[in-house]
Amino acid sequence: EVNALNNVITIDTDGVTITQEGSPFRVNLNNQSLDFYEGDARTVYINGQKLYIRSAEITEQLKLGVHIIEKYDATNTFIRWVG
């Protein structure tokens, strides 16, 4: 069985907005940024090669420049240089 998706794509002076009927979430792409919304709140945006987010959960590893921060086991985390 194929369920219909009730996606709504709007193209106007605000850019391209994608959402789904009844969902509080939407994505907007414009000439300045890529924005993610929950309700009226912009929760995440990407602008000028930077990601802006108040809180993030990284489940395995994160690379920052030449270092990787990674989960080793349930109680230990490693920070290592990778060059």
Side-chain angles (χ1 to χ4, degrees), residues 4 6 8 16 19-20 22-23 27 36-37 44-45 47 55-56 58-59 70 72 80:
N6 296 322
V8 177
V16 178
T19 189
Q20 190 172 33
S23 174
V27 177
F36 296 83
Y37 290 87
V44 179
Y45 66 99
N47 174 295
S55 176
I58 310 299
T59 59
E70 63 186 332
Y72 178 72
R80 61 186 171 96

Side-chain angles (χ1 to χ4, degrees), residues 22-82:
S23 174
F25 300 101
R26 70 183 189 280
V27 177
N28 177 266
L29 174 62
N30 58 57
N31 288 335
Q32 289 79 37
S33 62
L34 173 61
D35 306 314
F36 296 83
Y37 290 87
E38 184 173 352
D40 291 331
R42 182 171 69 168
T43 57
V44 179
Y45 66 99
I46 301 170
N47 174 295
Q49 298 185 24
K50 293 181 181 179
L51 171 68
Y52 298 85
I53 185 168
R54 185 177 302 256
S55 176
E57 183 172 330
I58 310 299
T59 59
E60 293 296 324
Q61 72 176 14
L62 174 66
K63 183 175 181 187
L64 295 171
V66 296
H67 294 88
I68 288 183
I69 303 169
E70 63 186 332
K71 176 181 173 182
Y72 178 72
D73 59 26
T75 59
N76 295 294
T77 301
F78 284 155
I79 300 174
R80 61 186 171 96
W81 182 79
V82 292

